[in-house]
Amino acid sequence: MFNTLALTAATIFFCLTNVLFSSETLATNDTQKAEDIHADTCPTVFYQLQLSFDASACHVFARTLPASITYHSNQPPKAVQLFFRQQIDTPFTQAFDHNRILLHLEGNHKIIVISPDGLGSQVDILINPS
């Protein structure tokens, strides 16, 4: 029997990444390039966004824009949401979908998806070319 929540989560993540990867324009002016980030280590910053201090199990899906990273935090989703909201100094929108918190920054240039993962959270950061 299919787990509908897992199937829905995978579909949402797949759709978000497809939207980001469909762009043909590559931006080159970000201060930190994804080429400097390796999948086996967790960076402290990803395209000018500070990652949680306890980021682990990081995986970079794309090294150039559109770029994406996913990682695990031991903090619950609400705490991770608060962490990101405290560092965001630009207008953003927030939505809740299928028990996930979605933060859209800079006109969807940066999207943060925070999902429950055991006692912690899975964090997906998607960076779209501006």
Side-chain angles (χ1 to χ4, degrees):
M1 190 59 67
F2 289 103
N3 181 339
T4 57
L5 183 57
L7 183 59
T8 302
T11 303
I12 289 170
F13 184 73
F14 179 75
C15 290
L16 285 173
T17 55
N18 276 341
V19 167
L20 293 177
F21 287 99
S22 66
S23 175
E24 295 179 18
T25 307
L26 296 177
T28 58
N29 60 352
D30 282 304
T31 58
Q32 180 180 5
K33 301 298 177 206
E35 291 85 16
D36 299 332
I37 300 168
H38 303 287
D40 58 344
T41 60
C42 291
T44 56
V45 176
F46 186 74
Y47 284 93
Q48 302 169 341
L49 280 175
Q50 181 77 32
L51 272 62
S52 305
F53 69 92
D54 66 342
S56 64
C58 294
H59 185 79
V60 176
F61 288 99
R63 298 198 180 281
T64 59
L65 293 179
S68 62
I69 186 173
T70 187
Y71 71 90
H72 176 79
S73 171
N74 291 327
Q75 303 298 311
K78 292 287 186 184
V80 175
Q81 172 193 20
L82 180 60
F83 169 80
F84 280 110
R85 290 186 67 175
Q86 289 174 339
Q87 67 171 304
I88 298 169
D89 60 354
T90 59
F92 68 93
T93 60
Q94 178 175 303
F96 297 94
D97 188 356
H98 291 90
N99 206 24
R100 285 163 179 68
I101 301 167
L102 296 107
L103 302 173
H104 299 265
L105 294 75
E106 302 172 21
N108 287 335
H109 173 65
K110 297 177 181 179
I111 300 171
I112 303 168
V113 181
I114 306 165
S115 309
D117 185 12
L119 297 176
S121 302
Q122 176 178 317
V123 181
D124 302 297
I125 300 175
L126 312 167
I127 310 296
N128 199 18
S130 18

